[in-house]
Amino acid sequence: GQRLFAPPVCPPFAIADPTPGSNQRGFASKFLEGYTCINLVSTTDAKKIQHSDSAKLAQIVVFHFWLVAFDAEILIHENGKDVFSIDHGFFLEWNKHETLQKEVYRELLTVIGEEDIEIALHQLESLEEAKVREIFADIPEEWIPGINKRNLTFLADKFLQRRLEVRAEIEQMREK
């Protein structure tokens, strides 16, 4: 797959086919040796990853705000520092403003440095429109059942517009 961010929010080694004999399609990265999958649905879950690398957390938080993450999953290495986001296709189906679990991200924002957030926001705001459109055009149908090219174009338009809103949302959340 193609990457929007450098370094990626999910590194290439973490993208894997389902484990043989598993019926969990697309979630094989959950079985990476040395990693634990954390479902980010509460502030308690956020506390499990808050000691991870601040720059990586900033990148993940900005990415999740952009895609309006719902039921986000994070893999954290047993070293407690290496962390990345998985299962992004699910966000594309549920990208409604009210589904973003703001209390989880508010908790994470308290431990992320201002400079790290700024760098991650700049990365998002600097994404080339053509690259975003190319990546959205290549989203596999199994990520969003029943999607067609026209809908993918609409989705790309929506997220290109949305990237302009993320900074204000994060700034507002950090002020509270």
Side-chain angles (χ1 to χ4, degrees):
Q2 298 183 51
R3 302 280 179 253
L4 287 171
F5 297 100
V9 292
C10 185
F13 73 85
I15 300 170
D17 291 327
T19 304
S22 169
N23 62 358
Q24 293 190 7
R25 66 170 192 209
F27 302 115
S29 53
K30 289 183 186 182
F31 305 109
L32 281 175
E33 191 173 331
Y35 286 86
T36 301
C37 183
I38 296 173
N39 191 248
L40 279 182
V41 294
S42 72
T43 55
T44 302
D45 300 322
K47 289 177 191 218
K48 293 175 186 174
I49 64 168
Q50 69 182 7
H51 299 294
S52 302
D53 178 69
S54 178
K56 181 52 71 178
L57 279 179
Q59 194 180 37
I60 289 170
V61 166
V62 167
F63 183 73
H64 284 189
F65 260 82
W66 181 44
L67 294 185
V68 195
F70 175 69
D71 198 30
E73 292 182 313
I74 301 292
L75 289 185
I76 185 167
H77 193 267
E78 57 196 17
N79 68 16
K81 295 291 180 193
D82 298 331
V83 63
F84 54 88
S85 179
I86 63 169
D87 195 15
H88 308 134
F90 187 66
F91 302 165
L92 301 175
E93 287 187 77
W94 292 94
N95 57 68
K96 298 174 182 74
H97 235 62
E98 63 274 8
T99 62
L100 184 70
Q101 293 154 310
K102 292 183 179 178
E103 69 283 352
V104 172
Y105 296 100
R106 187 174 290 113
E107 181 70 30
L108 290 174
L109 285 167
T110 65
V111 299
I112 298 171
E114 191 70 38
E115 184 177 337
D116 292 327
I117 285 289
E118 185 57 39
I119 290 168
L121 284 167
H122 179 73
Q123 270 190 312
L124 175 65
E125 294 163 350
S126 300
L127 292 176
E128 294 177 24
E129 180 177 333
K131 186 173 184 180
V132 172
R133 290 189 182 287
E134 179 183 344
I135 288 172
F136 272 77
D138 290 338
I139 290 174
E141 184 181 341
E142 58 267 17
W143 283 19
I144 311 172
I147 194 98
N148 60 39
K149 291 294 180 188
R150 183 173 175 220
N151 291 344
L152 287 173
T153 300
F154 174 77
L155 198 59
D157 289 341
K158 179 178 177 177
F159 282 108
L160 283 165
Q161 177 61 40
R162 170 119 182 89
R163 73 184 167 153
L164 305 174
E165 302 164 4
V166 172
R167 178 180 293 278
E169 288 180 21
I170 287 177
E171 287 174 354
Q172 180 181 17
M173 189 171 285
R174 288 181 74 101
E175 290 172 2
K176 291 183 179 182

